[in-house]
Amino acid sequence: MEFSDKTVFVLNHTAYFNTVGDEISFDSGTKTSVVKTSYRKSIWSNTVDAVLQYCRIVFDVFSHEKPISVITFDTEEKIHSIWLDEDQNIEALWSIFTHEGPPTNADLDLKHCASMPGLEASCNMLQMLTNSQKERKNGTNAGRVIILSAFMREQISSWIPSVLAALSKPVGSNKYARITASEWLFIDVLSESEFASEAHDLPLLPQPIELPTTLDHHSTGHRFLYYRLPASSLDLYRGMMRLVESHYNLASTLVQDIPMKEEANASSGSAMYGVELLHRAEAHDLLRRIGVIDQLMIRTETTGGDETTLPALQRPKSGFSRTLGIKWVTPKSSDSSILRYTTAAYRVTLADVGNRASTCLAQFVLGGRSVALAHRLPVSPPSVPVDSRASSISVSEALLLTCHGSVMYLHTLATVYPLVHPPLTPILDCSKSADLRVQSFVDQIVRPSRLAPASAHQHYLVAPRERAQQHLERFTRYWPLLESETFLGVNKVCTIFIFWAICMKRMITDEIIP
């Protein structure tokens, strides 16, 4: 079941989240007098940072396709954003949290709450249709609610009946619809001491909440999960990154060996950097099909939570469970022509937008340049006859990074092959290359088979695309590859005679031969 069509964040804005969290040390003063100063962030600041990163990735990768709503509660509930397109950007979220400010001094004891604040408002938000749902009208209405609070574990089971009752309420407007499926993720954000004291019996990953048997028939299509995260900025950030990875089926790609000059010394030689990109997991399908994706993974996580080490490589910024490493290919002016060989395009975003290497890469690509990304594993291109004397292909492009407008896209190539730097040794046998009917192929197959837009208002007995395929199939049913294998193709007089015969047949029978 797809729960990511729309997401509601419910944030606790009470006094507990105003407690101090991480300590940040920095230098202050003048050149002659440097004073060590420290600043302590609150748990609320860490939570807001993690939520902003989660939302930024969703907005960058999906634009307005996966809307997000934000609800906070202290002494009252506040719905800050709904499914409007103008609310689906990082600037709108900045404005929301800026106006909301730090948590109030109000202390809320959830143990005495019959229903947690914000849950019923979340049900109303899920019932509200998004713009895309109003257009589709397919009858399904699913979504996800993520609640970030503290000390909820013991009370969640008592809140679920009221949630199910709110989900089953009838709707009285065509702008709302009954919720067919939903996922409720309760996240306890705990300080370091509280997290360590309960680490022996609390799950490390989201776990389903067992419901009473009396509620089983009411909870069909709805599931409830519990998760806990430390309140430190790094752990909270990585935890939210794992969630956005699993919720939206995203993947991480580290572009390696990008040459950049050091900022402090521009006259020095170039150093190699890596930039991590986040995108839909489907961008790795080609590498998965040819069986090299496991060898290209530079970071994987086991079920126990341990990660593989990355020798001589900077640790990727994101907390994604897996990261694929792929090499930067020196750009050429002709790289944009590779775009014709791509089969899919996926929006990408940077894992670390504040990193200098990430900024340089973004400026380079958004300036109109295209960059091929390749691996160096021994893979033979499929369906291509490789001469036994030809040298092995050392670099095989699989992806193309470019931009359309002001958005970066990762394109998947139709096959893995060194398009930017082709091998010097010809793929086919040199003794036969001079006898190939290259010009005849261009004149007789490529040029006559060029497609043109078909009229959308004309009725076709055969679809134009199928007609073109039939035409190409007839022309290539028997087409000799070598000049020595054909007589009619070499003799221009015979070719002219055949063309004249076809034209006469069209005139006599008034038959259109594609």
Side-chain angles (χ1 to χ4, degrees), residues 394-406:
S394 59
V395 177
S396 298
E397 287 84 12
L399 303 170
L400 180 70
L401 182 63
T402 186
C403 74
H404 301 290
S406 59

Side-chain angles (χ1 to χ4, degrees), residues 344-366:
Y346 305 94
R347 293 169 64 113
V348 300
T349 186
L350 300 169
D352 187 4
V353 293
N355 181 266
R356 174 180 172 266
S358 299
T359 304
C360 292
L361 176 63
Q363 291 177 347
F364 181 83
V365 175
L366 294 176

Side-chain angles (χ1 to χ4, degrees), residues 390-455:
S391 61
S392 60
I393 299 173
S394 59
V395 177
S396 298
E397 287 84 12
L399 303 170
L400 180 70
L401 182 63
T402 186
C403 74
H404 301 290
S406 59
V407 180
M408 290 193 298
Y409 284 83
L410 193 64
H411 293 71
T412 304
L413 297 179
T415 186
V416 177
Y417 189 73
L419 299 171
V420 178
H421 301 282
L424 298 178
T425 305
I427 293 179
L428 296 176
D429 191 350
C430 297
S431 61
K432 297 182 179 180
S433 60
D435 197 27
L436 288 173
R437 300 177 61 197
V438 177
Q439 190 59 42
S440 299
F441 180 79
V442 173
D443 295 337
Q444 300 177 18
I445 303 296
V446 176
R447 288 176 179 170
S449 301
R450 286 179 296 186
L451 299 179
S455 174

Side-chain angles (χ1 to χ4, degrees), residues 175-203:
K175 296 182 180 179
Y176 293 80
R178 189 181 67 86
I179 303 171
T180 56
S182 64
E183 179 183 273
W184 297 73
L185 176 57
F186 295 85
I187 303 177
D188 266 340
V189 181
L190 305 175
S191 63
E192 185 176 352
S193 58
E194 292 159 345
F195 184 86
S197 63
E198 299 183 2
H200 62 281
D201 62 342
L202 289 180

Side-chain angles (χ1 to χ4, degrees), residues 50-304:
V51 171
L52 284 173
Q53 290 296 331
Y54 182 106
C55 297
R56 177 186 68 84
I57 293 172
V58 175
F59 294 153
D60 288 349
V61 175
F62 297 98
S63 186
H64 299 158
E65 297 178 22
K66 310 287 186 180
I68 294 176
S69 173
V70 176
I71 299 175
T72 62
F73 67 89
D74 38 40
T75 56
E76 60 180 356
E77 298 177 2
K78 301 176 186 177
I79 301 177
H80 297 280
S81 61
I82 55 178
W83 311 130
L84 299 177
D85 288 347
E86 53 264 31
D87 291 338
Q88 308 308 313
N89 56 77
I90 202 67
E91 290 80 9
L93 287 182
W94 271 115
S95 178
I96 289 172
F97 290 119
T98 300
H99 286 86
E100 187 67 0
T104 63
N105 293 326
D107 195 4
L108 181 64
D109 189 356
L110 297 178
K111 294 181 180 179
H112 299 91
C113 295
S115 177
M116 182 178 180
L119 296 186
E120 187 170 354
S122 301
C123 294
N124 295 333
M125 285 304 306
L126 291 182
Q127 290 176 342
M128 182 186 295
L129 297 177
T130 64
N131 293 332
S132 59
Q133 286 179 312
K134 294 175 183 177
E135 296 173 358
R136 291 198 306 261
K137 297 180 180 180
N138 57 2
T140 60
N141 185 19
R144 175 181 288 111
V145 179
I146 302 176
I147 303 101
L148 288 100
S149 186
F151 310 112
M152 298 183 293
R153 187 188 183 197
E154 302 298 332
Q155 285 72 42
I156 296 176
S157 298
S158 63
W159 297 335
I160 291 178
S162 61
V163 172
L164 294 176
L167 292 174
S168 60
K169 285 183 179 179
V171 296
S173 172
N174 57 1
K175 296 182 180 179
Y176 293 80
R178 189 181 67 86
I179 303 171
T180 56
S182 64
E183 179 183 273
W184 297 73
L185 176 57
F186 295 85
I187 303 177
D188 266 340
V189 181
L190 305 175
S191 63
E192 185 176 352
S193 58
E194 292 159 345
F195 184 86
S197 63
E198 299 183 2
H200 62 281
D201 62 342
L202 289 180
L204 296 175
L205 296 174
Q207 298 293 323
I209 299 173
E210 295 184 3
L211 301 179
T213 55
T214 55
L215 296 177
D216 286 344
H217 65 285
H218 296 289
S219 61
T220 304
H222 309 288
R223 66 179 185 179
F224 300 85
L225 305 174
Y226 174 76
Y227 195 26
R228 65 180 182 87
L229 288 172
S232 64
S233 59
L234 182 59
D235 291 329
L236 194 54
Y237 165 79
R238 287 181 176 172
M240 294 301 293
M241 290 301 98
R242 297 294 172 89
L243 291 179
V244 74
E245 176 189 14
S246 60
H247 289 170
Y248 296 93
N249 190 26
L250 302 181
S252 166
T253 297
L254 184 67
V255 183
Q256 300 170 298
D257 297 344
I258 305 177
M260 296 185 188
K261 291 187 178 295
E262 296 291 344
E263 188 175 15
N265 188 6
S267 61
S268 63
S270 299
M272 296 299 181
Y273 288 87
V275 175
E276 188 178 8
L277 306 176
L278 307 179
H279 50 80
R280 297 191 186 191
E282 291 89 335
H284 292 162
D285 284 351
L286 173 62
L287 299 173
R288 185 176 292 105
R289 287 198 302 268
I290 63 177
V292 300
I293 189 168
D294 291 334
Q295 302 175 59
L296 294 175
M297 286 295 172
I298 60 174
R299 178 181 64 186
T300 57
E301 186 179 82
T302 62
T303 55

